[in-house]
Amino acid sequence: DQQVKQNSPSLSVQEGRISILNCDYTNSMFDYFLWYKKYPAEGPTFLISISSIKDKNEDGRFTVFLNKSAKHLSLHIVPSQPGDSAVYFCAASAISNFGNEKLTFGTGTRLTIIP
Amino acid sequence: DAEITQSPRHKITETGRQVTLACHQTWNHNNMFWYRQDLGHGLRLIHYSYGVHDTNKGEVSDGYSVSRSNTEDLPLTLESAASSQTSVYFCASSPGTGGTYEQYFGPGTRLTVT
């Protein structure tokens, strides 16, 4: 049972335009969400996160939006750059009192930025 | 600089052999995790540890084992390698304190079971 879903395996966007990557989740216990970026032959690297007490978090060109009622989050990249071409993973966790956590990952979306 | 390393980076082994993948982190993180990445499945959790001598099964733990004898290392052992275990394996760590949930990943080990 896939609790975190990324329904678009791939996405192509023109350089300079906005890239929007989507993620849906089913587990209502999830209250912390992260995006990771992965280049070929490298490990995933943390990009941006959001807690369920917020509906938006920005970091430079990257913005994550959370719609709790729809159990949906999205990552916006604007403007898109060639170096943004990578696989993006959405991940979710339930916040614990101990600071321990497991992450549940989506299947990933391959973003290609077209020069 | 603190880091997380994995070795070997590439491994080819035969069906039935025992294989151990190493993971070493120098951040002094409490939590360590092992994932496998397969096309169409994303990253799936194999085993994880919240501290020395603590180990827990993830969603795809069958055929794998881990042990945590110190803070820095969490080796992953495939007891009897199977072709279905051909995959890319990632180790990750996180502080486990302070309400931070980001995990930091190693570079991965590509394992081929023939």
Side-chain angles (χ1 to χ4, degrees), chain B residues 5 7 11 18 25 33 45-46 57 62 64 68 100:
Chain B
T5 57
S7 61
K11 174 78 176 177
Q18 184 181 79
Q25 54 96 4
F33 307 84
L45 184 63
I46 305 172
K57 294 181 179 180
D62 287 349
Y64 303 94
R68 185 96 180 266
T100 58

Side-chain angles (χ1 to χ4, degrees), chain A residues 32 36 38 43 95 98 101, chain B residues 33 37 94 96 101-103 106:
Chain A
Y32 195 85
Y36 280 81
K38 185 184 178 306
I95 293 178
F98 304 101
E101 82 294 347
Chain B
F33 307 84
Q37 183 194 4
S94 67
Y101 297 85
E102 293 82 14
Q103 295 180 12

